[in-house]
Amino acid sequence: MTDAQLADLRQTYAQRTLTETDVQPDAVPQFRAWLDEALAAKIDEPTAMTLSTVDVATGQPSSRVVLLKGLPEDEGFLFFTNYDSHKGRELAAQPLAALNFFWPALERQVRVEGRVEKASAEVSTAYFQSRPRGSQLGAWASPQSQPVPDRTDLEAREQAMEQRFAGQEPLPRPEHWGGYVLRPTRVEFWQGRPSRLHDRLQFDRQADGSWKISRLAP
């Protein structure tokens, strides 16, 4: 495909509207309402979100897709990972991050910014031990984000963990693996509209915990 053909690709958005009277006063309950609609629509991977972090030393941002695993007390966005991974190291140095959800079937996008903190050990262990055994073994076996010689090495690590934990179920949670909660300070709800005049409503957390809602130009 040529650059000109790429430039000509476009989609007209016209399914829905988004007004100030459509939304709840709190950002996370409003997100939950949209997520419920995405689940009801049976779209692919509705809980997939792009997580962006920053390398403090270089200022270089990096992004990857992770899965939302909860909205604890309607106060944050919960996900899990290896704490020694690339994103884990960046979050340890700079606990600020952004999330992005994109549901093209609903012509919707949600952007989230906020501060990240580790989930409790109890929450992390409960989720870890609810995962399939293969996923538990993988968390023990994989030195996430570190170079490995080849696929065979990774599979050998998995086999070694299988032998180590033979007959044990569920597995103990490794200390290097667990949850994070992103507590949002800003959330934007985006609804596609015709002629690129999209609806954008931004929620900003106030000092008293309430949310200020503003309309943004597309």
Side-chain angles (χ1 to χ4, degrees), residues 92-156:
Q94 174 58 282
L96 299 175
L99 305 172
N100 192 86
F101 296 82
F102 182 46
W103 300 316
L106 300 179
E107 301 176 351
R108 284 176 172 171
Q109 178 179 198
V110 182
R111 300 172 58 212
V112 184
E113 299 173 8
R115 177 167 291 274
V116 178
E117 61 189 45
K118 284 186 177 180
S120 70
E122 292 77 14
V123 166
S124 294
T125 298
Y127 176 70
F128 179 82
Q129 295 185 336
S130 75
R131 304 175 84 206
R133 181 177 177 81
S135 297
Q136 295 180 44
L137 289 168
W140 274 100
S142 174
Q144 193 174 106
S145 302
Q146 301 300 317
V148 292
D150 49 35
R151 177 75 188 187
T152 301
D153 177 83
L154 197 58
E155 292 172 350

Side-chain angles (χ1 to χ4, degrees), residues 23 37 40 44 54 58 60 71 74 77 79 83 103 114 117 145 155 157 160 164 179 188 197 202-203:
V23 296
E37 290 186 39
D44 290 339
V54 174
T58 65
Q60 174 65 50
L71 298 165
D74 280 344
F77 295 74
F79 61 95
Y83 290 142
W103 300 316
E117 61 189 45
S145 302
E155 292 172 350
R157 290 171 180 266
R164 175 180 173 181
E188 180 192 321
L197 291 178
Q202 180 174 286
F203 287 62

Side-chain angles (χ1 to χ4, degrees), residues 25-27 75 184 204-212:
D26 292 343
E75 288 292 330
D204 286 291
R205 175 78 83 173
Q206 304 300 291
D208 63 0
S210 64
W211 293 91
K212 177 184 177 182

Side-chain angles (χ1 to χ4, degrees), residues 11-99:
Q11 178 74 35
T12 297
Y13 300 121
Q15 288 187 27
R16 296 172 173 83
T17 62
L18 179 64
T19 68
E20 288 80 350
T21 59
D22 293 331
V23 296
Q24 301 186 37
D26 292 343
V28 181
Q30 174 58 38
F31 173 82
R32 188 185 291 274
W34 268 26
L35 178 61
D36 286 344
E37 290 186 39
L39 292 167
K42 300 185 186 306
I43 65 176
D44 290 339
E45 296 286 10
T47 61
M49 55 189 187
T50 301
L51 166 67
S52 298
T53 56
V54 174
D55 184 315
V56 176
T58 65
Q60 174 65 50
S62 59
S63 298
R64 74 289 289 161
V65 176
V66 299
L67 298 179
L68 176 70
K69 290 300 179 181
L71 298 165
E73 301 177 358
D74 280 344
E75 288 292 330
F77 295 74
L78 175 66
F79 61 95
F80 295 89
T81 189
N82 186 314
Y83 290 142
D84 295 332
S85 65
H86 186 178
K87 55 186 170 297
R89 295 193 303 272
E90 290 190 340
L91 288 172
Q94 174 58 282
L96 299 175
L99 305 172

